[in-house]
Amino acid sequence: MKTITIEELEALAPGSAVVADVRPEEDYRRGTFPGAVNIPMDQIGSRMEELPKDKPVYLLCHTGERSVDYVDWLCLEGYDAGNVSGGYRSYLRLSLGRFLQEEDVRRDKTKEIERSLIKKFRKSIWRSFTKGIQKYDLIQEGDRIAVCISGGKDSMLMAKLLQELQRHGKFPFELVFLVMNPGYNEDNWKIIQDNAELLDIPLTVFESDIFNIVAEVEDNPCYLCARMRRGYLYSHAKELGCNKIALGHHFDDVIETILMGMLYSGKVETMMPKLHSKNFEGMELIRPMYLIKEEDIKAWRDYHRLHFIQCACRFTENCATCGGAKGSKRDEMKDLIRQFRGVSDVIEYNIFNSVHNINLRTVIGYHKDDMTYNFLDDYDAPGREAAHGEDRAEISGTAGSGEGGIC
């Protein structure tokens, strides 16, 4: 099979070949190789006639791996087809590296990104960020916080927000921008480092072999990987004198978790804004992005034409976020919430507020630590007659909804 590198592709004479970007349209719109046309993988069969047979056709996917089968298919159909080695990720790494070589341009871009958080994205991002910090009392004077950076859009924005809060906040606290390299491939690792340089985020890096360990696990390797990474981060943060770790979960993560618990686990629970660690005494986990919507994070990213890694694990690089097949329960929840948003702009807030406003008189049972309660335990106790709120819930079937559910 014929392959071509990004450097060789750039050296071709204009018009001498066609580059077909086979990633999803959304990814293509955010950035592609100059002059590439978009024909997503699932449309190649129906749009094959759009590709010429009188010149080479090179397919570009995210990693350079998923496009291989389609190159073979086109060759069998009589096309002079080839594959772009390393895919769009390789082009992104090369372009970002070149950009960073221009010191003045990089410095201006960093300042532009910082100003936008306080100005253009003040309402959608900055106010939601500071509101979450205050509402859930996430940061105190004297804290030393390990900002855990995976390299994706969420953790990178969180790092920048906390950095700005540290610079302009009312009381002093310390930040350590902590990155664990669990075995990233060369392209992803370079993109993480280059984006940190662009955003002026000084990284503290440590290595682990988590990817190699979970490679041998067949049952639920993603769960094991996540648990191990969390443990490594806690441990290293504590060694660095931190009392908190900050993770980049956002508003959408919270409501997706609520729905998954109800629909697939039969319980009402949520992703908490902060938690004391059970295994690392004196350590606490905080989620500063708790009130920020994912669509606003994407808007910030796209406004500045930033490109972050998506699915960093080398074993799942072809997952949904990189253009592969969907299938996870979280993907299902994202689709469901997308449908809700098309129906009403209130539903997502009501899901979020439902775990802030639980009426214990109208639930069958609950538990906390070793204590378990069932409504029958005190059903006949004096004063346990049905309250007016219960009557209304039975009549309307919508307790907690309406205007009062909008935050």
Side-chain angles (χ1 to χ4, degrees):
M1 183 186 66
K2 181 168 64 175
T3 62
I4 190 170
T5 66
I6 289 294
E7 292 85 352
E8 292 170 337
L9 198 60
E10 290 181 324
L12 294 178
S16 63
V18 171
V19 178
D21 189 330
V22 296
R23 298 175 301 149
E25 183 181 358
E26 179 183 0
D27 294 337
Y28 170 81
R29 288 200 306 266
R30 289 187 49 236
T32 189
F33 185 85
V37 297
N38 183 220
I39 303 181
M41 290 181 191
D42 59 358
Q43 299 178 23
I44 289 181
S46 61
R47 297 175 59 183
M48 200 176 294
E49 71 280 356
E50 298 179 29
L51 299 174
K53 287 190 173 182
D54 60 348
K55 63 177 67 174
V57 175
Y58 295 104
L59 300 192
L60 177 81
C61 72
H62 182 70
T63 65
E65 297 175 3
R66 299 194 70 232
S67 49
V68 171
D69 291 341
Y70 295 90
V71 170
D72 292 339
W73 183 19
L74 289 177
C75 288
L76 290 174
E77 294 294 328
Y79 289 87
D80 180 14
N83 192 51
V84 180
S85 178
Y88 178 72
R89 188 177 59 191
S90 180
Y91 173 70
L92 176 59
R93 184 184 73 160
L94 183 65
S95 301
L96 188 54
R98 290 171 177 169
F99 178 81
L100 292 173
Q101 292 175 3
E102 303 178 32
E103 182 65 26
D104 292 340
V105 176
R106 183 198 64 78
R107 190 181 300 110
D108 290 343
K109 182 69 173 179
T110 303
K111 291 180 179 178
E112 173 194 327
I113 292 170
E114 292 172 349
R115 284 195 300 268
S116 74
L117 292 174
I118 309 299
K119 294 184 178 181
K120 181 175 178 62
F121 296 99
R122 184 177 188 85
K123 181 178 180 181
S124 59
I125 291 179
W126 183 254
R127 286 182 181 174
S128 296
F129 167 69
T130 55
K131 180 180 178 181
I133 297 291
Q134 295 168 5
K135 181 174 182 178
Y136 302 112
D137 194 24
L138 300 185
I139 300 177
Q140 285 79 40
E141 183 174 348
D143 279 343
R144 183 173 171 83
I145 304 169
V147 185
C148 300
I149 298 176
S150 67
K153 68 184 190 312
D154 306 328
S155 63
M156 284 293 194
L157 174 57
M158 175 183 66
K160 202 63 197 170
L161 289 168
L162 285 169
Q163 187 183 61
E164 288 299 296
L165 184 65
Q166 183 190 44
R167 290 171 175 172
H168 309 294
K170 297 179 180 179
F171 54 81
F173 61 92
E174 298 180 60
L175 297 174
V176 177
F177 299 101
L178 189 59
V179 177
M180 176 181 61
N181 183 352
Y184 292 134
N185 62 57
E186 182 181 351
D187 283 318
N188 276 339
W189 184 230
K190 184 66 164 60
I191 291 171
I192 291 172
Q193 294 173 307
D194 286 347
N195 276 323
E197 183 179 350
L198 174 61
L199 295 173
D200 191 27
I201 297 172
L203 300 181
T204 297
V205 179
F206 72 99
E207 308 284 333
S208 77
D209 58 353
I210 290 178
F211 282 178
N212 288 331
I213 295 173
V214 300
E216 306 301 324
V217 177
E218 294 184 2
D219 296 331
N220 217 347
C222 294
Y223 173 77
L224 176 61
C225 181
R227 289 293 301 270
M228 291 182 66
R229 291 173 74 171
R230 183 80 56 85
Y232 272 78
L233 288 167
Y234 266 123
S235 178
H236 206 76
K238 190 166 186 177
E239 289 177 7
L240 293 171
C242 298
N243 65 313
K244 293 179 180 178
I245 67 170
L247 301 183
H249 296 115
H250 47 65
F251 178 88
D252 293 67
D253 291 323
V254 177
I255 59 177
E256 289 162 15
T257 299
I258 296 170
L259 287 179
M260 280 195 295
M262 294 174 63
L263 300 181
Y264 286 103
S265 299
K267 55 187 176 183
V268 177
E269 61 182 10
T270 189
M271 179 180 285
M272 299 294 287
K274 63 180 182 180
L275 289 167
H276 288 295
S277 173
K278 294 181 180 180
N279 301 316
F280 296 88
E281 186 177 354
M283 294 292 293
E284 188 176 7
L285 180 155
I286 63 172
R287 295 185 167 103
M289 307 259 285
Y290 204 76
L291 299 182
I292 301 177
K293 287 187 177 183
E294 186 174 27
E295 64 183 18
D296 294 323
I297 299 172
K298 290 180 177 179
W300 167 81
R301 175 199 65 191
D302 296 345
Y303 177 78
H304 293 295
R305 300 186 66 83
L306 298 171
H307 297 273
F308 303 106
I309 65 170
Q310 298 181 67
C311 192
C313 175
R314 67 170 181 261
F315 307 110
T316 58
E317 286 180 326
N318 296 326
C319 70
T321 55
C322 297
K326 291 190 175 184
S328 74
K329 293 295 183 288
R330 193 162 289 276
D331 285 330
E332 291 181 26
M333 296 305 102
K334 287 182 182 295
D335 289 340
L336 185 59
I337 291 169
R338 191 176 299 113
Q339 294 178 42
F340 287 154
R341 285 171 173 154
V343 174
S344 169
D345 59 0
V346 173
I347 296 178
E348 61 183 342
Y349 292 113
N350 281 342
I351 296 171
F352 182 81
N353 286 339
S354 68
V355 293
H356 288 71
N357 189 28
I358 295 174
N359 183 350
L360 294 181
R361 289 295 192 189
T362 61
V363 296
I364 302 298
Y366 62 88
H367 60 85
K368 183 178 181 181
D369 300 326
D370 295 330
M371 185 274 289
T372 301
Y373 170 82
N374 184 288
F375 85 106
L376 292 176
D377 292 344
D378 60 358
Y379 180 74
D380 293 322
R384 186 60 174 84
E385 294 82 1
H388 292 299
E390 292 176 288
D391 293 338
R392 287 197 299 270
E394 291 177 3
I395 294 171
S396 66
T398 56
S401 64
E403 293 183 358
I406 304 176
C407 66

